[in-house]
């Protein structure tokens, strides 16, 4: 078979270690002057694409990193390129009106068709909206095979893809022929750190800037945010001295 | 077309009610209107057994309308449909008997659901937020051109739903403008309905027999006599503090047995290989809301709290008095878990 042409969509999200705060107007989570990073699951996607190239079972013709987001999403694409992606595509979307998963999937379908990709590797969910939909939606729109929550991916030289998936209660293995959409689970790999020379090299890699208009798409959202609130806080509990105290307290609370 | 018309009639009626009788109790207005809604709950089965989590989709459906239609597919679908017909609130079960659907592959399930949904004109499609549904419902939503709403914890009205975002650190209320709403529900937020007293009729569904590019190869599921983690009344959970798989296996199962609890783990414990990934509790693992969540050696990172902070009572054993877990724990014990966990196990057993 010919080689792999891998598309890796990445998203810029609030860093996973930051505790998000709801804004005063209760319209969204505060994002100004908050540390942002690449969605952790997307780091796994890039890493897996680069490892497929390093494994050399099937030649990898190109790895495209893609992001739809505000101007700063370009930083995330540079990170992806420093990790090993060959080029980046950035579709600028206003921060106030982010795309919904269905919108991203429709956009990705056009990007897949334009770049003639035969494998799309996405994170299983983004840690901001926790929707977990984009990869599956894309596979549906393309009518491609899909494997979600992958913990292991093997591609034979005939283009046969075997994926071990995390499911409730264990793992499941499925097999399909390319083209395919795969979403990553945490156990898939350990993403590398971009080295300084690679970060420097990534600055020279091509980064294409596009808009939704270039793809003839509109971003009308289907879901309207009514409000965003803080979750109800838990009441502060008590500390007990010893195991007997713990058992006693649990009984008192009716948990035993 | 029919469903679109019905939908707009309903919306119109609601808007009228809201504007003319703003103080009218919603529950009262809902009972007369909800008959216009038609909800479909996707029921998962494995080897002829309905999954417990499927029932939460029925409960969520009953919050929208008086009766819910169930959907079952697989080689034994008719007999599972028969045995499920007693579930309270199910008025009808559509079944498709075909072994092609046994493995829950989204590539043929999505077109199967799409055709049955379009034929029945359903306004609300509900499924549990399980691995199967997480993989299948978004694909279905794309075929139906609708923006799915994942992992809801509450229903405010026929188009307004509540769901946690940012690992449960914020709660989003969103309103959908889609004609058909595809929704996955958080099982712990919707207690299952009675499994008796119902009398659902059975109806054979349409089977598009879509080709499936994916082959199911094998599965490796953890066999356990313990209660299922997602629905257990009690959960004991271990983290990095257990130091090794040997210690995890030595300390946690006896404690779980003493309580009749399921075993969970933090991501740190899973990543370090102490516990299987399927035991992971948190944003990227399972969400649990048991009566008692007892954890040892877990610091309480936000990703972990996302999966357990709706537990009724949280108890924590940790040697670090500053660990964030103590900020959410109802009962905290500062101490060495290698001493405290065996002592706790013995004392619980002695009771």
């Amino acid at each position: 078979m010919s080689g792999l042409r891998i598309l890796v969509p990445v998203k810029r999200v609030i860093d996973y270690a930051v505790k998000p705060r709801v804004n005063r107007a209760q319209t969204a989570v505060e994002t100004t002057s908050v540390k942002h990073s690449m969605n952790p699951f997307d780091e796994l996607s890039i890493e897996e694409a680069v490892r497929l190239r390093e494994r050399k079972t099937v030649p990898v013709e190109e790895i495209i990193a893609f992001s739809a987001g505000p101007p700063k999403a370009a930083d995330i694409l540079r990170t992806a390129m420093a990790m090993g992606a060959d080029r980046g595509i950035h579709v600028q979307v206003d921060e106030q009106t982010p795309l919904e998963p269905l919108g991203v999937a429709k956009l990705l379908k056009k990007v897949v068709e334009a770049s003639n990709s035969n494998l799309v590797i996405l994170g299983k969910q983004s840690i901001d909206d926790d929707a977990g939909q984009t990869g599956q939606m894309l596979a549906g729109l393309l009518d491609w095979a899909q494997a979600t929550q992958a913990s292991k991916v093997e591609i034979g030289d005939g283009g046969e893809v075997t994926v071990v998936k995390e499911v409730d209660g264990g793992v499941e293995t499925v097999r399909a022929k390319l083209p395919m959409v795969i979403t990553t689970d945490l156990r898939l790999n350990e993403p590398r750190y971009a080295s300084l020379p690679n970060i420097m090299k990534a600055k020279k890699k091509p980064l294409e800037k596009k808009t939704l208009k270039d793809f003839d798409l509109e971003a009308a959202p289907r879901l309207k945010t009514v409000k965003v609130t803080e979750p109800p806080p838990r009441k502060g509990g008590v500390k007990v001295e010893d195991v007997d105290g713990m058992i006693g307290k649990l009984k008192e609370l009716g948990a035993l | 077309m029919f469903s679109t018309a019905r939908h707009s009639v309903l919306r119109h009626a609601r808007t009228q009610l809201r504007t003319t009788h703003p103080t009218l109790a919603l529950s009262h207005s809902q009972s007369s209107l909800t008959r216009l809604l038609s909800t479909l709950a996707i029921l998962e089965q494995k080897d002829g057994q309905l999954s417990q989590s499927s029932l939460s989709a029925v409960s969520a459906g009953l919050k929208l309308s008086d009766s819910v239609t169930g959907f079952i597919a697989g080689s034994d679908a008719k007999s599972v449909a028969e045995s499920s017909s007693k579930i309270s609130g199910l008025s009808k079960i559509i079944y498709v008997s075909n072994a092609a659907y046994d493995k829950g592959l989204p590539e043929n399930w999505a077109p199967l659901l799409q055709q049955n949904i379009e034929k029945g004109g359903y306004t609300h499609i509900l499924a549990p937020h399980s691995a199967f549904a997480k993989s299948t419902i978004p694909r279905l939503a794309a075929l139906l051109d609708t923006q799915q709403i994942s992992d809801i914890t509450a229903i405010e009205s026929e188009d307004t739903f509540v769901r946690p975002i940012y690992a449960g650190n914020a709660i989003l209320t969103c309103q959908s403008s889609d004609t058909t709403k595809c929704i996955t529900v958080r099982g712990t937020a919707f207690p299952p309905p009675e499994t008796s007293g119902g009398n659902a009729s059975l109806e054979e569904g349409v089977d598009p027999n879509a080709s499936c590019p994916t082959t199911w190869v094998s599965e490796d599921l953890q066999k356990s006599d313990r209660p299922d983690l997602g629905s257990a009344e009690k959960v004991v959970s271990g983290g990095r503090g257990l130091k090794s798989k040997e210690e995890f296996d030595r300390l946690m199962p006896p404690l779980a047995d003493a309580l009749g609890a399921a075993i969970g783990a933090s991501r740190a414990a899973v990543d370090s290989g102490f516990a299987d990934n399927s035991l992971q509790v948190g944003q990227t693992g399972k969400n649990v809301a048991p009566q008692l969540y007892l954890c040892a050696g877990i610091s309480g990172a936000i990703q972990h709290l996302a999966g357990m902070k709706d537990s009724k009572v949280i108890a924590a054993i940790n040697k670090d008095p500053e660990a964030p877990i103590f900020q959410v724990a109802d009962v905290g014990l500062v101490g060495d878990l290698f001493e405290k966990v065996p002592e706790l196990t013995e004392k619980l057993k002695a009771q």
Side-chain angles (χ1 to χ4, degrees), chain B residues 28-111:
Chain B
H28 181 71
S29 65
Q30 229 166 7
S31 62
S32 56
L33 286 168
T34 44
R35 284 179 210 124
L36 294 163
L37 295 174
S38 58
T39 63
L40 184 76
I42 295 157
L43 306 176
E44 289 174 38
Q45 55 113 1
K46 193 170 170 68
D47 306 325
Q49 287 291 315
L50 209 62
S51 80
Q52 184 68 23
S53 62
S54 294
L55 298 176
S56 59
V58 178
S59 325
L62 287 170
K63 291 202 185 288
L64 287 158
S65 56
D66 298 338
S67 66
V68 173
T69 302
F71 184 90
I72 294 175
S75 54
D76 222 8
K78 192 174 182 185
S79 65
V80 185
E82 274 163 8
S83 60
S84 306
S85 63
K86 296 281 173 280
I87 295 169
S88 177
L90 278 181
S91 58
K92 182 164 81 175
I93 298 176
I94 297 172
Y95 67 91
V96 174
S97 294
N98 184 341
Y101 304 116
D102 280 347
K103 301 302 182 191
L105 294 165
E107 289 87 341
N108 59 8
W109 262 91

Side-chain angles (χ1 to χ4, degrees), chain B residues 35-319:
Chain B
R35 284 179 210 124
L36 294 163
L37 295 174
S38 58
T39 63
L40 184 76
I42 295 157
L43 306 176
E44 289 174 38
Q45 55 113 1
K46 193 170 170 68
D47 306 325
Q49 287 291 315
L50 209 62
S51 80
Q52 184 68 23
S53 62
S54 294
L55 298 176
S56 59
V58 178
S59 325
L62 287 170
K63 291 202 185 288
L64 287 158
S65 56
D66 298 338
S67 66
V68 173
T69 302
F71 184 90
I72 294 175
S75 54
D76 222 8
K78 192 174 182 185
S79 65
V80 185
E82 274 163 8
S83 60
S84 306
S85 63
K86 296 281 173 280
I87 295 169
S88 177
L90 278 181
S91 58
K92 182 164 81 175
I93 298 176
I94 297 172
Y95 67 91
V96 174
S97 294
N98 184 341
Y101 304 116
D102 280 347
K103 301 302 182 191
L105 294 165
E107 289 87 341
N108 59 8
W109 262 91
L112 167 73
L113 289 168
Q114 183 195 10
Q115 289 213 1
N116 283 284
I117 288 159
E118 284 172 353
K119 183 180 167 222
Y122 297 97
T123 56
H124 293 72
I125 317 305
L126 296 149
H129 196 61
S130 62
F132 161 75
K134 281 194 258 185
S135 169
T136 305
I137 305 302
R139 189 172 177 116
L140 166 71
L143 300 185
L144 293 168
D145 193 33
T146 173
Q147 175 52 54
Q148 186 192 331
I149 307 154
S150 295
D151 204 18
I152 64 161
T153 51
I155 295 171
E156 296 224 321
S157 73
E158 52 96 13
D159 63 359
T160 307
F161 308 92
V162 179
R163 57 181 299 267
I165 53 174
Y166 288 91
N169 282 291
I171 308 296
L172 168 72
T173 305
C174 62
Q175 189 175 23
S176 163
S177 60
D178 283 316
T179 313
T180 309
K181 295 163 182 54
C182 286
I183 299 159
T184 60
V185 309
R186 182 170 289 196
T188 54
F190 296 92
E194 295 291 324
T195 48
S196 62
N199 187 22
S201 61
L202 301 192
E203 183 184 306
E204 198 166 356
V206 286
D207 186 357
N209 238 318
S211 64
C212 183
T214 308
T215 321
W216 184 91
V217 180
S218 63
E219 68 185 359
D220 183 7
L221 302 182
Q222 295 283 311
K223 296 264 183 295
S224 169
D225 297 331
R226 292 204 180 82
D228 170 60
L229 179 59
S231 55
E233 293 239 318
K234 291 172 185 160
V235 173
V236 298
S237 195
R240 200 200 303 269
L242 281 150
K243 297 220 162 64
S244 69
K245 180 169 170 38
E246 289 67 34
E247 293 294 344
F248 194 98
D249 290 345
R250 185 174 72 85
L251 294 177
M252 298 314 285
L255 178 61
D257 292 340
L259 283 164
I263 297 181
S266 70
R267 187 187 155 192
V270 169
D271 281 354
S272 311
F274 304 174
D276 190 80
N277 195 53
S278 59
L279 302 185
Q280 188 186 318
V281 171
Q283 183 185 21
T284 59
K286 279 236 163 50
N287 283 294
V288 300
Q291 291 293 315
L292 171 63
Y293 188 83
L294 202 170
C295 59
I298 288 180
S299 63
I302 55 174
Q303 293 83 3
H304 186 75
L305 300 183
M308 46 65 85
K309 67 181 176 186
D310 293 329
S311 306
K312 190 110 193 305
V313 174
I314 297 173
I317 300 173
N318 201 303
K319 67 177 176 194

